[in-house]
């Protein structure tokens, strides 16, 4: 499992005083950078070989400014050319959000999915966990 700590900024809040719900997809994407580097080590978008096929976020509790947020990231499914990244946001020992993102290894020139094999597959398998809930 990969972890990343986010320090919410004041501009992340909304009129209700919580972290705005639009911030979670962005924070989850930021926390996927370690997985992105397996495909594109320098994160150069001209070499990018991933597309997003699905994104869902469940909101379990509010997040607040002034308290760090831990994002936990792992793979919950690894297919032939696609995989599901599961992520959780935790604040002060409490699960606040869960996200699932389906990414596809993709050849932009031919507009087709590409198999994930060899060393890349092995690197992804290291982050594969069967359980979808990682407790504090």
């Amino acid at each position: 499992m990969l972890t990343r700590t986010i320090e919410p900024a004041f501009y992340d809040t909304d009129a209700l005083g919580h972290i705005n719900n639009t911030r979670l997809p962005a924070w989850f994407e930021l926390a996927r950078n370690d997985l992105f580097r397996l495909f594109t080590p320098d994160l150069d978008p001209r070499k990018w070989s991933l597309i997003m096929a699905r994104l869902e976020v469940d909101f379990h509790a509010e997040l607040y400014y002034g308290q760090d947020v831990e994002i936990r990231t792992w793979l919950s499914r690894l297919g032939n050319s696609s995989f599901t990244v599961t992520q959780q946001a935790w604040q002060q020992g409490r699960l606040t959000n869960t996200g699932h993102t389906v990414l596809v290894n993709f050849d932009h020139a031919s507009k087709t999915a590409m198999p994930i094999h060899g060393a890349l597959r092995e690197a992804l398998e290291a982050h594969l966990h069967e359980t979808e809930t990682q407790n504090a």
Side-chain angles (χ1 to χ4, degrees):
M1 177 175 28
L2 302 164
T3 60
R4 183 177 292 252
T5 300
I6 305 290
E7 181 181 354
F10 184 75
Y11 69 81
D12 292 325
T13 60
D14 61 20
L16 298 175
H18 306 128
I19 300 302
N20 189 284
N21 60 11
T22 63
R23 300 306 297 146
L24 268 298
W27 289 354
F28 283 165
E29 180 180 5
L30 174 65
R32 289 193 298 272
N33 274 351
D34 293 324
L35 293 174
F36 294 158
R37 282 189 176 91
L38 297 175
F39 291 83
T40 311
D42 62 0
L43 299 179
D44 182 345
R46 294 169 296 182
K47 302 174 193 169
W48 207 257
S49 66
L50 291 170
I51 59 169
M52 182 185 300
R54 181 180 177 93
L55 170 67
E56 61 184 33
V57 178
D58 295 323
F59 297 89
H60 310 296
E62 298 90 355
L63 286 166
Y64 298 97
Y65 173 72
Q67 303 166 16
D68 286 351
V69 177
E70 180 184 69
I71 306 294
R72 300 176 185 179
T73 302
W74 68 94
L75 269 64
S76 55
R77 184 190 63 81
L78 179 57
N80 291 327
S81 60
S82 68
F83 56 99
T84 302
V85 179
T86 296
Q87 295 177 282
Q88 295 178 334
W90 290 78
Q91 191 174 58
Q92 294 194 319
R94 186 172 72 169
L95 175 63
T96 60
N97 304 84
T98 303
H100 303 282
T101 306
V102 176
L103 298 172
V104 180
N105 193 28
F106 193 76
D107 181 333
H108 292 277
S110 66
K111 304 293 185 199
T112 58
M114 299 184 301
I116 301 169
H117 51 74
L120 177 57
R121 184 170 202 82
E122 290 174 15
L124 290 171
E125 286 172 346
H127 301 288
L128 184 62
H129 299 280
E130 302 227 355
T131 177
E132 290 199 18
T133 303
Q134 303 290 323
N135 295 321

